[in-house]
mmCIF file of all heavy atoms in Angstrom:
data_model
loop_
_atom_site.group_PDB
_atom_site.id
_atom_site.type_symbol
_atom_site.label_atom_id
_atom_site.label_comp_id
_atom_site.label_asym_id
_atom_site.label_seq_id
_atom_site.Cartn_x
_atom_site.Cartn_y
_atom_site.Cartn_z
ATOM 1 N N PRO A 23 -53.309 -54.787 -27.556
ATOM 2 C CA PRO A 23 -52.805 -54.468 -26.198
ATOM 3 C C PRO A 23 -53.779 -54.990 -25.140
ATOM 4 O O PRO A 23 -54.961 -55.117 -25.325
ATOM 5 C CB PRO A 23 -52.791 -52.912 -26.205
ATOM 6 C CG PRO A 23 -52.743 -52.542 -27.649
ATOM 7 C CD PRO A 23 -53.491 -53.614 -28.386
ATOM 8 N N VAL A 24 -53.206 -55.304 -24.002
ATOM 9 C CA VAL A 24 -53.994 -55.815 -22.873
ATOM 10 C C VAL A 24 -54.890 -54.689 -22.335
ATOM 11 O O VAL A 24 -54.385 -53.620 -22.014
ATOM 12 C CB VAL A 24 -53.095 -56.315 -21.734
ATOM 13 C CG1 VAL A 24 -53.910 -56.757 -20.527
ATOM 14 C CG2 VAL A 24 -52.235 -57.499 -22.263
ATOM 15 N N PRO A 25 -56.231 -54.903 -22.209
ATOM 16 C CA PRO A 25 -57.087 -53.885 -21.602
ATOM 17 C C PRO A 25 -57.006 -54.001 -20.080
ATOM 18 O O PRO A 25 -57.778 -54.700 -19.439
ATOM 19 C CB PRO A 25 -58.477 -54.292 -22.135
ATOM 20 C CG PRO A 25 -58.389 -55.769 -22.352
ATOM 21 C CD PRO A 25 -57.004 -56.071 -22.702
ATOM 22 N N TRP A 26 -56.086 -53.254 -19.492
ATOM 23 C CA TRP A 26 -55.704 -53.496 -18.120
ATOM 24 C C TRP A 26 -56.779 -53.226 -17.102
ATOM 25 O O TRP A 26 -56.735 -53.731 -15.981
ATOM 26 C CB TRP A 26 -54.441 -52.703 -17.779
ATOM 27 C CG TRP A 26 -53.220 -53.271 -18.397
ATOM 28 C CD1 TRP A 26 -52.570 -52.832 -19.517
ATOM 29 C CD2 TRP A 26 -52.527 -54.439 -17.956
ATOM 30 N NE1 TRP A 26 -51.510 -53.665 -19.788
ATOM 31 C CE2 TRP A 26 -51.461 -54.647 -18.854
ATOM 32 C CE3 TRP A 26 -52.686 -55.338 -16.888
ATOM 33 C CZ2 TRP A 26 -50.566 -55.719 -18.732
ATOM 34 C CZ3 TRP A 26 -51.806 -56.386 -16.757
ATOM 35 C CH2 TRP A 26 -50.776 -56.580 -17.635
ATOM 36 N N LEU A 27 -57.784 -52.409 -17.445
ATOM 37 C CA LEU A 27 -58.891 -52.177 -16.520
ATOM 38 C C LEU A 27 -60.116 -53.018 -16.865
ATOM 39 O O LEU A 27 -61.202 -52.749 -16.316
ATOM 40 C CB LEU A 27 -59.264 -50.687 -16.507
ATOM 41 C CG LEU A 27 -58.174 -49.749 -15.929
ATOM 42 C CD1 LEU A 27 -58.742 -48.354 -15.774
ATOM 43 C CD2 LEU A 27 -57.649 -50.244 -14.601
ATOM 44 N N GLY A 28 -59.982 -53.993 -17.735
ATOM 45 C CA GLY A 28 -61.113 -54.885 -18.029
ATOM 46 C C GLY A 28 -61.503 -55.634 -16.757
ATOM 47 O O GLY A 28 -60.630 -56.186 -16.063
ATOM 48 N N PRO A 29 -62.782 -55.703 -16.402
ATOM 49 C CA PRO A 29 -63.186 -56.304 -15.134
ATOM 50 C C PRO A 29 -62.722 -57.767 -14.964
ATOM 51 O O PRO A 29 -62.192 -58.135 -13.938
ATOM 52 C CB PRO A 29 -64.699 -56.233 -15.185
ATOM 53 C CG PRO A 29 -65.021 -55.110 -16.089
ATOM 54 C CD PRO A 29 -63.923 -55.133 -17.107
ATOM 55 N N LEU A 30 -62.926 -58.584 -16.005
ATOM 56 C CA LEU A 30 -62.539 -59.984 -15.906
ATOM 57 C C LEU A 30 -61.016 -60.116 -15.824
ATOM 58 O O LEU A 30 -60.480 -60.975 -15.066
ATOM 59 C CB LEU A 30 -63.045 -60.773 -17.076
ATOM 60 C CG LEU A 30 -64.585 -60.926 -17.167
ATOM 61 C CD1 LEU A 30 -64.988 -61.697 -18.424
ATOM 62 C CD2 LEU A 30 -65.134 -61.602 -15.919
ATOM 63 N N LEU A 31 -60.317 -59.279 -16.565
ATOM 64 C CA LEU A 31 -58.833 -59.292 -16.503
ATOM 65 C C LEU A 31 -58.355 -58.847 -15.139
ATOM 66 O O LEU A 31 -57.458 -59.486 -14.580
ATOM 67 C CB LEU A 31 -58.240 -58.409 -17.588
ATOM 68 C CG LEU A 31 -56.730 -58.340 -17.639
ATOM 69 C CD1 LEU A 31 -56.149 -59.735 -18.009
ATOM 70 C CD2 LEU A 31 -56.235 -57.303 -18.601
ATOM 71 N N LEU A 32 -58.932 -57.786 -14.605
ATOM 72 C CA LEU A 32 -58.562 -57.348 -13.261
ATOM 73 C C LEU A 32 -58.770 -58.466 -12.234
ATOM 74 O O LEU A 32 -57.921 -58.696 -11.346
ATOM 75 C CB LEU A 32 -59.357 -56.095 -12.877
ATOM 76 C CG LEU A 32 -58.915 -54.764 -13.487
ATOM 77 C CD1 LEU A 32 -59.930 -53.698 -13.086
ATOM 78 C CD2 LEU A 32 -57.542 -54.405 -13.010
ATOM 79 N N LEU A 33 -59.908 -59.146 -12.346
ATOM 80 C CA LEU A 33 -60.225 -60.206 -11.380
ATOM 81 C C LEU A 33 -59.282 -61.361 -11.539
ATOM 82 O O LEU A 33 -58.700 -61.829 -10.533
ATOM 83 C CB LEU A 33 -61.663 -60.660 -11.600
ATOM 84 C CG LEU A 33 -62.183 -61.763 -10.665
ATOM 85 C CD1 LEU A 33 -62.130 -61.287 -9.221
ATOM 86 C CD2 LEU A 33 -63.559 -62.219 -11.048
ATOM 87 N N SER A 34 -59.074 -61.832 -12.739
ATOM 88 C CA SER A 34 -58.224 -63.034 -12.952
ATOM 89 C C SER A 34 -56.768 -62.743 -12.635
ATOM 90 O O SER A 34 -56.075 -63.518 -11.994
ATOM 91 C CB SER A 34 -58.347 -63.564 -14.376
ATOM 92 O OG SER A 34 -57.909 -62.578 -15.326
ATOM 93 N N THR A 35 -56.299 -61.549 -13.067
ATOM 94 C CA THR A 35 -54.887 -61.194 -12.797
ATOM 95 C C THR A 35 -54.677 -60.962 -11.305
ATOM 96 O O THR A 35 -53.665 -61.389 -10.723
ATOM 97 C CB THR A 35 -54.484 -59.948 -13.585
ATOM 98 O OG1 THR A 35 -54.739 -60.164 -14.987
ATOM 99 C CG2 THR A 35 -53.029 -59.630 -13.343
ATOM 100 N N GLY A 36 -55.651 -60.322 -10.647
ATOM 101 C CA GLY A 36 -55.560 -60.096 -9.233
ATOM 102 C C GLY A 36 -55.487 -61.416 -8.438
ATOM 103 O O GLY A 36 -54.694 -61.578 -7.522
ATOM 104 N N ILE A 37 -56.351 -62.361 -8.848
ATOM 105 C CA ILE A 37 -56.346 -63.669 -8.178
ATOM 106 C C ILE A 37 -55.030 -64.359 -8.385
ATOM 107 O O ILE A 37 -54.455 -64.952 -7.432
ATOM 108 C CB ILE A 37 -57.524 -64.493 -8.681
ATOM 109 C CG1 ILE A 37 -58.883 -63.907 -8.185
ATOM 110 C CG2 ILE A 37 -57.401 -65.956 -8.198
ATOM 111 C CD1 ILE A 37 -60.078 -64.600 -8.762
ATOM 112 N N ARG A 38 -54.528 -64.359 -9.624
ATOM 113 C CA ARG A 38 -53.261 -65.037 -9.894
ATOM 114 C C ARG A 38 -52.118 -64.381 -9.124
ATOM 115 O O ARG A 38 -51.250 -65.048 -8.590
ATOM 116 C CB ARG A 38 -52.963 -65.001 -11.409
ATOM 117 C CG ARG A 38 -53.746 -66.022 -12.208
ATOM 118 C CD ARG A 38 -53.445 -65.858 -13.676
ATOM 119 N NE ARG A 38 -54.100 -66.869 -14.498
ATOM 120 C CZ ARG A 38 -53.487 -67.891 -15.056
ATOM 121 N NH1 ARG A 38 -52.200 -68.057 -14.910
ATOM 122 N NH2 ARG A 38 -54.164 -68.771 -15.779
ATOM 123 N N ALA A 39 -52.135 -63.063 -9.084
ATOM 124 C CA ALA A 39 -51.062 -62.345 -8.374
ATOM 125 C C ALA A 39 -51.127 -62.674 -6.880
ATOM 126 O O ALA A 39 -50.114 -62.909 -6.233
ATOM 127 C CB ALA A 39 -51.187 -60.831 -8.596
ATOM 128 N N LEU A 40 -52.358 -62.667 -6.352
ATOM 129 C CA LEU A 40 -52.503 -62.954 -4.918
ATOM 130 C C LEU A 40 -52.073 -64.406 -4.615
ATOM 131 O O LEU A 40 -51.367 -64.631 -3.610
ATOM 132 C CB LEU A 40 -53.969 -62.748 -4.520
ATOM 133 C CG LEU A 40 -54.289 -62.805 -2.991
ATOM 134 C CD1 LEU A 40 -53.498 -61.761 -2.263
ATOM 135 C CD2 LEU A 40 -55.783 -62.623 -2.786
ATOM 136 N N LEU A 41 -52.482 -65.323 -5.450
ATOM 137 C CA LEU A 41 -52.080 -66.740 -5.230
ATOM 138 C C LEU A 41 -50.568 -66.921 -5.348
ATOM 139 O O LEU A 41 -49.962 -67.645 -4.560
ATOM 140 C CB LEU A 41 -52.800 -67.633 -6.211
ATOM 141 C CG LEU A 41 -54.302 -67.829 -6.033
ATOM 142 C CD1 LEU A 41 -54.868 -68.651 -7.160
ATOM 143 C CD2 LEU A 41 -54.601 -68.476 -4.672
ATOM 144 N N ALA A 42 -49.977 -66.191 -6.332
ATOM 145 C CA ALA A 42 -48.551 -66.290 -6.523
ATOM 146 C C ALA A 42 -47.803 -65.752 -5.317
ATOM 147 O O ALA A 42 -46.752 -66.282 -4.896
ATOM 148 C CB ALA A 42 -48.109 -65.555 -7.802
ATOM 149 N N ILE A 43 -48.323 -64.635 -4.719
ATOM 150 C CA ILE A 43 -47.668 -64.068 -3.556
ATOM 151 C C ILE A 43 -47.870 -64.974 -2.318
ATOM 152 O O ILE A 43 -46.920 -65.233 -1.558
ATOM 153 C CB ILE A 43 -48.232 -62.678 -3.303
ATOM 154 C CG1 ILE A 43 -47.833 -61.719 -4.424
ATOM 155 C CG2 ILE A 43 -47.739 -62.127 -1.949
ATOM 156 C CD1 ILE A 43 -48.504 -60.342 -4.400
ATOM 157 N N LEU A 44 -49.131 -65.482 -2.159
ATOM 158 C CA LEU A 44 -49.405 -66.275 -0.958
ATOM 159 C C LEU A 44 -48.723 -67.639 -1.011
ATOM 160 O O LEU A 44 -48.248 -68.144 -0.008
ATOM 161 C CB LEU A 44 -50.929 -66.483 -0.835
ATOM 162 C CG LEU A 44 -51.766 -65.240 -0.498
ATOM 163 C CD1 LEU A 44 -53.220 -65.570 -0.495
ATOM 164 C CD2 LEU A 44 -51.348 -64.656 0.838
ATOM 165 N N PHE A 45 -48.693 -68.240 -2.198
ATOM 166 C CA PHE A 45 -48.177 -69.601 -2.332
ATOM 167 C C PHE A 45 -46.891 -69.657 -3.151
ATOM 168 O O PHE A 45 -46.503 -70.721 -3.648
ATOM 169 C CB PHE A 45 -49.217 -70.500 -2.957
ATOM 170 C CG PHE A 45 -50.546 -70.554 -2.205
ATOM 171 C CD1 PHE A 45 -51.631 -69.893 -2.687
ATOM 172 C CD2 PHE A 45 -50.604 -71.255 -1.011
ATOM 173 C CE1 PHE A 45 -52.836 -69.925 -1.948
ATOM 174 C CE2 PHE A 45 -51.775 -71.255 -0.285
ATOM 175 C CZ PHE A 45 -52.920 -70.616 -0.752
ATOM 176 N N GLY A 46 -46.221 -68.526 -3.265
ATOM 177 C CA GLY A 46 -44.988 -68.456 -4.066
ATOM 178 C C GLY A 46 -43.942 -69.451 -3.598
ATOM 179 O O GLY A 46 -43.224 -70.071 -4.367
ATOM 180 N N ALA A 47 -43.842 -69.604 -2.240
ATOM 181 C CA ALA A 47 -42.824 -70.562 -1.728
ATOM 182 C C ALA A 47 -43.114 -71.969 -2.183
ATOM 183 O O ALA A 47 -42.194 -72.740 -2.382
ATOM 184 C CB ALA A 47 -42.819 -70.462 -0.218
ATOM 185 N N TYR A 48 -44.410 -72.290 -2.357
ATOM 186 C CA TYR A 48 -44.746 -73.693 -2.778
ATOM 187 C C TYR A 48 -44.565 -73.871 -4.270
ATOM 188 O O TYR A 48 -44.338 -74.979 -4.764
ATOM 189 C CB TYR A 48 -46.184 -73.999 -2.390
ATOM 190 C CG TYR A 48 -46.427 -73.832 -0.903
ATOM 191 C CD1 TYR A 48 -47.053 -72.690 -0.416
ATOM 192 C CD2 TYR A 48 -46.065 -74.801 -0.003
ATOM 193 C CE1 TYR A 48 -47.284 -72.541 0.957
ATOM 194 C CE2 TYR A 48 -46.292 -74.676 1.355
ATOM 195 C CZ TYR A 48 -46.910 -73.547 1.838
ATOM 196 O OH TYR A 48 -47.107 -73.354 3.172
#
Side-chain angles (χ1 to χ4, degrees):
V24 176
W26 285 102
L27 293 188
L30 294 179
L31 180 65
L32 282 174
L33 180 62
S34 63
T35 304
I37 291 174
R38 283 177 176 253
L40 189 60
L41 290 175
I43 293 171
L44 292 176
F45 301 106
Y48 303 100

